[in-house]
Amino acid sequence: MAVVTKAVKGTQDIMPDEVYKNQFIEQIMLDIAGKFGFREIRTPVFEHTELFQRGVGETTDVVQKEMYTFDDKGGRSITLRPEGTAGAARAFLEHGLFNEALPQKLCYILNCYRYEKPQAGRWREFQQFGVEMLGTASPAADAEIISLAKEIFAFLGVEGLQLELNSIGCPECRKNYHNALREYFEARKDKLCPTCLGRLEKNPMRILDCKSPICHEVAKDAPAILDYICDDCSAHFESVKKYLDKMNIEYVINPRIVRGLDYYTRTVFEFVSTEIGAQGTVCGGGRYDGLLEELGGPHTPSLGFAMGTGRLLMVMQAQGIEIPAPPTCDIYVAPMGENASFEAAAIVADLRASGVSAQTDVVGRSLKAQMKYADKIGAKYTMVLGDDELNSKTAKLKNMATGETTEAGLDGFADSFMEFIIKEETAALNASLGGELDGVDLSAILNQQF
Ligand code: ATP
Ligand code: MG
């Protein structure tokens, strides 16, 4: 097989025809997070392996089976990040953000790497948008990040994602729960997969998260954590629910949610879609009150979520949500001959400096081939430049959609084209609104667009 011309299994190219969709949702995610006070952080793609072993947890699928780990040439054990929280938490500690105003609100968009079985909605390289709020134990914070995820979905027009909520308590109240789980699974040991047999001893809650259908079935009647959480955790959970009720955010309690990463405490939640197949969890998050201490930092109750941008785009596609395509080329200047080519280069440079998207020939094509190219790239206007046009300092501007032509002077062309296009767009907008804008001066608004 031609290894060189085939992407690695589980990875995807996002091609230019599609990438604007990612750009669009990413910008919205960052903008909305910004309104909540989250500031973007960019951390390295790889970290010391130990960070994830400690931060994500030794008994998780991610650490046990899914990490891309290798020794670098200096003999360090390095891992490509499988998620974003551990890196953000490490940076928070390394840069002493715990001395700054708390909570620190961080957000990111990053590629993650997990050696999983590729299928619809599950890749080995995938992208997450995530937020982390570090330094607050208040249930108001839990409700706030849930409402942030909700607002992103609402802004994008995504409907029907179910918010599933659970509390997995604190290490203290989990002790009793672990005993109850061990007792339950001990009696059904013969049915568990080998991985879950190992988990039975170390972290029986992980069995609830096993992807094997048999373990899933065995776990159906297992004791529920909510029956075991302590008074403090219970009060926290009640308060989170009250905030959500107050904010009109609907949820269902799902006692089976334990989340795939070990560091979670108290509130855990997922937003789940039924429209994209088995991998329906678009967003998952919760509290991780013990993580920062686990990494050697001060006690810093914290929380966050991550949403898979790939899965979100799948839901948007399933719901027929249109993402506005980026503007195409405003004008293609087609030179005939060498002189005209120099002139065209200068004109498109002026146009671009004025904010217009302009292209010209950089191949040396015939006029016919250039017009074909202009059509293919969706140029709104074309202008042919030959010796006659250069001598008379005027050229014909052709509207590619209507075929109409207009005479244009070449002196100060960039400015006059701007004015012209603004007028055209105003007229088109007015026509689309049935003349509602007759007499309104929209040039100031449209000017800002360029
Ligand atoms: P799952 O149960 O689907 O394996 P998870 O619990 O491992 O998810 P998290 O670690 O919480 O997932 O990651 C947050 C989000 O990132 C998920 O809800 C999902 O949208 C996305 N995600 C996780 N793993 C993948 C993957 N392999 N490919 C694509 N998206 C993923
Ligand atoms: Mg997973």
Side-chain angles (χ1 to χ4, degrees):
M1 186 175 40
V3 176
V4 187
T5 52
K6 207 157 169 41
V8 174
K9 188 172 173 183
T11 67
Q12 290 180 306
D13 299 307
I14 306 176
M15 300 303 286
D17 277 350
E18 294 281 317
V19 78
Y20 69 92
K21 298 179 184 170
N22 295 68
Q23 291 169 336
F24 180 80
I25 64 169
E26 285 166 14
Q27 198 53 53
I28 281 169
M29 288 163 166
L30 292 174
D31 286 351
I32 294 179
K35 274 201 301 180
F36 283 72
F38 287 82
R39 295 180 305 154
E40 188 182 351
I41 182 170
R42 298 189 184 185
T43 59
V45 169
F46 53 82
E47 300 269 1
H48 293 292
T49 300
E50 203 184 337
L51 173 68
F52 300 116
Q53 285 169 337
R54 293 259 292 273
V56 176
E58 291 280 9
T59 57
T60 58
D61 268 358
V62 170
V63 170
Q64 285 187 341
K65 304 183 192 164
E66 299 172 0
M67 294 208 301
Y68 280 89
T69 298
F70 57 95
D71 285 344
D72 73 4
K73 288 190 167 45
R76 297 170 197 88
S77 180
I78 296 294
T79 293
L80 301 185
R81 62 180 169 220
E83 52 92 62
T85 303
R90 196 250 327 122
F92 173 87
L93 294 178
E94 184 167 344
H95 299 276
L97 295 189
F98 45 84
N99 292 320
E100 310 279 323
L102 295 179
Q104 282 287 304
K105 299 180 181 182
L106 308 174
C107 65
Y108 49 75
I109 290 172
L110 40 79
N111 284 359
C112 299
Y113 302 84
R114 296 185 193 178
Y115 193 77
E116 300 197 78
K117 190 164 169 254
Q119 53 201 287
R122 196 179 286 291
W123 303 276
R124 290 181 174 171
E125 181 187 61
F126 62 97
Q127 223 185 22
Q128 283 187 343
F129 163 75
V131 304
E132 314 291 348
M133 205 194 290
L134 301 114
T136 167
S138 165
D142 306 40
E144 182 159 283
I145 65 161
I146 289 173
S147 76
L148 164 51
K150 236 1 245 188
E151 189 166 330
I152 290 171
F153 299 138
F155 193 94
L156 293 172
V158 174
E159 288 172 353
L161 292 183
Q162 175 156 291
L163 169 60
E164 302 190 357
L165 196 63
N166 192 20
S167 171
I168 56 171
C170 61
E172 232 8 79
C173 46
R174 239 178 275 162
K175 277 183 197 152
N176 289 337
Y177 182 54
H178 278 181
N179 288 339
L181 275 184
R182 266 192 206 108
E183 201 173 299
Y184 175 87
F185 285 117
E186 209 46 78
R188 294 156 180 85
K189 219 169 151 172
D190 48 325
K191 295 198 185 112
L192 295 178
C193 75
T195 319
C196 282
L197 277 180
R199 290 166 170 156
L200 190 53
E201 202 37 55
K202 282 198 203 137
N203 190 349
M205 257 168 78
R206 289 263 70 81
I207 303 175
L208 302 177
D209 203 36
C210 183
K211 297 279 188 288
S212 138
I214 300 171
C215 295
H216 201 78
E217 189 59 34
V218 177
K220 265 209 166 113
D221 299 315
I225 177 86
L226 285 177
D227 295 330
Y228 291 82
I229 60 175
C230 66
D231 290 350
D232 282 353
C233 288
S234 181
H236 183 94
F237 194 47
E238 288 311 310
S239 186
V240 172
K241 289 192 283 183
K242 197 165 167 185
Y243 276 107
L244 294 177
D245 291 339
K246 203 76 193 157
M247 294 160 103
N248 290 321
I249 296 177
E250 283 176 24
Y251 54 84
V252 296
I253 305 296
N254 179 354
R256 294 276 162 259
I257 301 183
V258 294
R259 310 283 306 119
L261 316 179
D262 263 357
Y263 49 62
Y264 285 102
T265 51
R266 293 194 164 171
T267 317
V268 288
F269 63 88
E270 293 185 353
F271 283 90
V272 184
S273 162
T274 51
E275 292 169 285
I276 54 169
Q279 315 309 324
T281 307
V282 173
C283 173
R287 276 203 163 269
Y288 46 90
D289 289 347
L291 176 65
L292 278 290
E293 253 171 317
E294 178 64 32
L295 298 179
H299 176 64
T300 313
S302 304
L303 65 164
F305 69 68
M307 54 176 83
T309 55
R311 288 190 198 172
L312 181 58
L313 283 168
M314 284 168 73
V315 174
M316 291 176 72
Q317 190 176 0
Q319 297 188 0
I321 298 170
E322 295 270 344
I323 295 178
T328 49
C329 172
D330 291 319
I331 179 167
Y332 180 89
V333 181
M336 289 191 298
E338 200 181 6
N339 280 344
S341 177
F342 290 125
E343 207 53 47
I347 290 176
V348 292
D350 276 356
L351 284 162
R352 290 166 187 157
S354 307
V356 171
S357 135
Q359 295 194 46
T360 185
D361 179 49
V362 287
V363 179
R365 286 193 173 110
S366 70
L367 183 62
K368 198 172 156 205
Q370 287 191 57
M371 295 317 268
K372 222 169 159 182
Y373 176 77
D375 194 41
K376 267 194 187 158
I377 62 170
K380 288 184 201 148
Y381 292 89
T382 54
M383 183 169 77
V384 176
L385 277 192
D387 288 339
D388 288 351
E389 283 78 11
L390 296 185
N391 289 336
S392 66
K393 292 192 184 287
T394 57
K396 283 204 175 70
L397 200 57
K398 181 175 174 191
N399 181 322
M400 294 294 275
T402 63
E404 269 172 51
T405 57
T406 319
E407 200 78 21
L410 293 183
D411 285 336
F413 176 70
D415 286 346
S416 55
F417 181 71
M418 275 279 289
E419 262 172 47
F420 172 78
I421 204 168
I422 286 171
K423 258 194 222 144
E424 291 276 293
E425 300 224 342
T426 313
L429 182 65
N430 194 20
S432 75
L433 295 173
E436 248 179 69
L437 302 174
D438 280 343
V440 178
D441 180 12
L442 285 177
S443 54
I445 303 168
L446 280 166
N447 238 324
Q448 284 178 355
Q449 273 187 19
F450 287 98

